[in-house]
Amino acid sequence: NRDKNVSILPRVAAALKASGVRFTLEIVGDGSERKVLEKDFRKLAPGCATINGTLPRERTQDIMSRSHFVLLPSISEGLSNVMLEGMALGCVPVCSSIENFKWVLGDVAERLQCNTHDSEEYARRIIRMSSDPDLYRSTQQYLRERQHNLFTPERTVGGYLDLIGELKNGAA
């Protein structure tokens, strides 16, 4: 799906590698662009990425629980379950500047959102957060609390039930 904008990931990895950052990018998911993505990683950032393909949810959560960041360079996205699950597991999202992401990230959106096609900006955001452990921890804590307070399944269902009640009573 081109809306996911995964073609930028090899350039982000190359920018991080050129800056001396040691990392492994774990990619979960599959699609028609996989072969091109694999080729671009071999060319631009060899040895920096593992493309796992589609995995069971438990395995994906295991990867996220060991990760510091989740990259979401999407051009268009609804409410991102990947972002919310990452936040709940302690990942800090570095993402495109689409409105839905801004809404989910709240007060920390400016430090985490990037121009959708600017691989250097994604790398700079990651380097900035990585080089300041206090900033990383405070951002991580804020996002965990935000996810827990606003975006759990129970909160979502409760919000829908409230809306249905308002619609039923003519208040919405």
Side-chain angles (χ1 to χ4, degrees):
N1 181 344
R2 292 192 186 272
D3 283 350
K4 298 293 183 186
N5 194 30
V6 296
S7 63
I8 196 174
L9 296 176
R11 294 189 311 277
V12 173
L16 288 168
K17 187 174 181 178
S19 295
V21 176
R22 291 181 40 209
F23 68 97
T24 300
L25 185 60
E26 292 264 354
I27 299 171
V28 176
D30 217 340
S32 60
E33 296 181 37
R34 181 174 180 157
K35 296 265 188 241
V36 173
L37 194 62
E38 290 171 337
K39 180 179 151 230
D40 288 348
F41 270 111
R42 282 192 302 273
K43 178 181 173 187
L44 299 172
C48 291
T50 301
I51 301 176
N52 293 289
T54 303
L55 297 175
R57 184 173 183 204
E58 296 80 21
R59 178 75 177 104
T60 300
Q61 288 177 334
D62 179 55
I63 289 170
M64 282 196 274
S65 69
R66 292 182 281 108
S67 301
H68 292 95
F69 298 97
V70 59
L71 296 179
L72 298 158
S74 300
I75 294 167
S76 174
E77 185 101 30
L79 184 60
S80 173
N81 288 331
V82 171
M83 178 179 280
L84 294 173
E85 287 181 21
M87 288 165 54
L89 293 167
C91 289
V92 172
V94 176
C95 59
S96 59
S97 58
I98 59 178
E99 283 300 312
N100 286 351
F101 289 167
K102 182 178 182 180
W103 174 67
V104 171
L105 296 172
D107 294 341
V108 298
E110 275 190 33
R111 75 176 75 135
L112 301 174
Q113 288 191 287
C114 306
N115 180 308
T116 305
H117 299 290
D118 188 345
S119 57
E120 296 286 334
E121 186 174 4
Y122 283 87
R124 283 192 304 273
R125 302 277 183 184
I126 292 167
I127 292 166
R128 169 75 175 106
M129 294 297 294
S130 298
S131 64
D132 187 338
D134 291 334
L135 178 63
Y136 179 86
R137 277 192 296 278
S138 66
T139 303
Q140 180 188 47
Q141 183 62 33
Y142 170 83
L143 292 169
R144 273 187 172 158
E145 289 172 8
R146 186 165 173 82
Q147 188 279 336
H148 178 75
N149 292 331
L150 298 175
F151 300 109
T152 61
E154 296 80 14
R155 295 267 185 199
T156 303
V157 169
Y160 281 124
L161 291 174
D162 290 346
L163 178 60
I164 291 168
E166 290 174 18
L167 291 170
K168 182 179 172 185
N169 295 326

